[in-house]
Amino acid sequence: MGIEILLGVLALVLLYAGSAVKVVKQYERGVVFRFGRLQEKTRGPGLTAIVPVVDRMRKVNLQIVTMPVPAQEGITRDNVTVRVDAVVYFKVEDAARAIVNVEDYLFAVGQVAQTSLRSIIGKSDLDDLLSNRERLNQGLELMIDNPALGWGVHIDRVEIKDVSLPESMKRSIARQAEAERERRSRIIAADGEFQASRKLADAASVMADKPAALQLRLLETVVEVAAEKNSTLVLPFPVELLQFVDHLKPGDGVPAQAVPKEGQEEKLPAPRDEEPVPSWTTTPAD
């Protein structure tokens, strides 16, 4: 009988000791309540002892929590309907406040993130959502971090994941981008033509001052064409030579007998098949 009592007492002692000793992991902190009152000292990692029945300890994870924010649908400032989802990275800095000041800090952070995301959609333009996400991420982080500071939670960063647009808006953006690329290509082509025309005008002025440059260019063109091993060689005929022949006057290197004088008819040579009639031939008498 005495041995059974001793064993029972030993079991109670072991149960008491087991309920009094707690293990706190490295990434956790223990918040102790004694008769419902918060103890100032937060238990660190390792073995820690509490008073059974009197004390209750809650463990709080201090690791960074990755919380996806469900896609929120809203209307931007330029009246475009979009769906935006994001990711919030946060961690608990004060374990006591995270337990005492808010009922469920995970749920609270999630709700604040959703409302802040809808608010940032309504304050932004579509172009900002598509191209200026860094500034929007910073604004969204500040909006979530302000109420979270009172809960002992620090928002590490917020990232907008995706922006879903209606199909009609996607087609409009594609047409706008295509028109912009077409405009740039035309401007570049026109600029190239302008620069080429200026260079050609400069080359023409140089060749006009020095005609030998035109002959050299002609020879280079002939060499380039001949290098292609073509059977036909085309030589350009300068227009200036035709103008020179057209404006040629008598006495400029042409024999004088070849040019008839004024008032004098040009004598044509007699045909070879006909014999010229002699001037001494007389008409026979009756």
Side-chain angles (χ1 to χ4, degrees):
M1 185 68 181
I3 297 177
E4 294 179 354
I5 295 175
L6 183 61
L7 292 176
V9 173
L10 183 60
L12 289 176
V13 170
L14 293 176
L15 182 62
Y16 180 83
S19 60
V21 177
K22 302 292 183 180
V23 177
V24 180
K25 297 180 181 179
Q26 181 66 37
Y27 54 85
E28 293 178 339
R29 295 295 182 268
V31 180
V32 179
F33 293 90
R34 180 166 295 173
F35 292 112
R37 176 174 293 185
L38 175 67
Q39 298 297 305
E40 295 181 359
K41 184 178 180 181
T42 302
R43 306 300 173 89
L47 288 174
T48 183
I50 62 174
V51 180
V53 182
V54 176
D55 294 342
R56 294 186 60 186
M57 187 177 69
R58 291 186 59 180
K59 299 178 183 179
V60 180
N61 193 334
L62 300 185
Q63 291 178 310
I64 294 179
V65 180
T66 303
M67 175 180 291
V69 181
Q72 302 297 313
E73 186 172 353
I75 300 177
T76 61
R77 192 166 56 181
D78 50 355
N79 299 326
V80 179
T81 303
V82 295
R83 288 178 60 88
V84 182
D85 56 352
V87 181
V88 180
Y89 302 90
F90 66 94
K91 63 180 179 179
V92 176
E93 288 190 339
D94 192 338
R97 284 192 297 172
I99 297 299
V100 175
N101 293 355
V102 63
E103 180 181 3
D104 187 354
Y105 67 90
L106 294 174
F107 179 76
V109 172
Q111 294 301 310
V112 171
Q114 294 181 30
T115 55
S116 301
L117 183 57
R118 284 195 295 268
S119 178
I120 207 72
I121 291 174
K123 295 179 181 179
S124 305
D125 295 330
L126 179 61
D127 293 339
D128 293 335
L129 289 175
L130 296 177
S131 60
N132 198 8
R133 293 188 180 182
E134 188 66 27
R135 184 177 63 84
L136 296 180
N137 292 337
Q138 294 177 359
L140 190 58
E141 178 181 344
L142 290 176
M143 294 179 66
I144 302 175
D145 195 36
N146 287 334
L149 287 176
W151 306 333
V153 177
H154 171 67
I155 305 300
D156 189 64
R157 64 184 304 170
V158 181
E159 295 287 343
I160 294 177
K161 289 177 59 178
D162 188 24
V163 179
S164 300
L165 301 176
E167 292 297 329
S168 58
M169 183 57 61
K170 291 181 180 180
R171 290 192 294 268
S172 299
I173 293 175
R175 288 196 299 268
Q176 178 184 0
E178 184 178 357
E180 180 66 20
R181 289 193 297 268
E182 184 68 20
R183 182 184 68 86
R184 291 180 182 178
S185 65
R186 290 184 179 182
I187 291 176
I188 293 174
D191 190 21
E193 292 293 336
F194 175 72
Q195 295 180 8
S197 62
R198 294 191 62 178
K199 294 298 181 180
L200 289 175
D202 295 342
S205 62
V206 172
M207 292 181 181
D209 296 338
K210 298 180 180 180
L214 181 61
Q215 299 298 328
L216 294 176
R217 183 59 184 164
L218 177 61
L219 293 176
E220 291 179 1
T221 304
V222 172
V223 171
E224 292 177 359
V225 174
E228 298 295 333
K229 297 180 181 181
N230 295 325
S231 59
T232 303
L233 182 61
V234 179
L235 294 177
F237 193 78
V239 182
E240 290 79 2
L241 185 58
L242 296 177
Q243 295 177 354
F244 173 76
V245 175
D246 185 38
H247 293 83
L248 194 63
K249 296 181 180 180
D252 296 341
V254 181
Q257 61 273 16
V259 181
K261 298 180 179 180
E262 295 183 0
Q264 181 180 0
E265 297 181 357
E266 182 180 1
K267 293 183 180 180
L268 300 176
R272 296 181 179 180
D273 298 337
E274 298 180 0
E275 293 291 338
V277 181
S279 61
W280 48 265
T281 303
T282 56
T283 305
D286 295 335

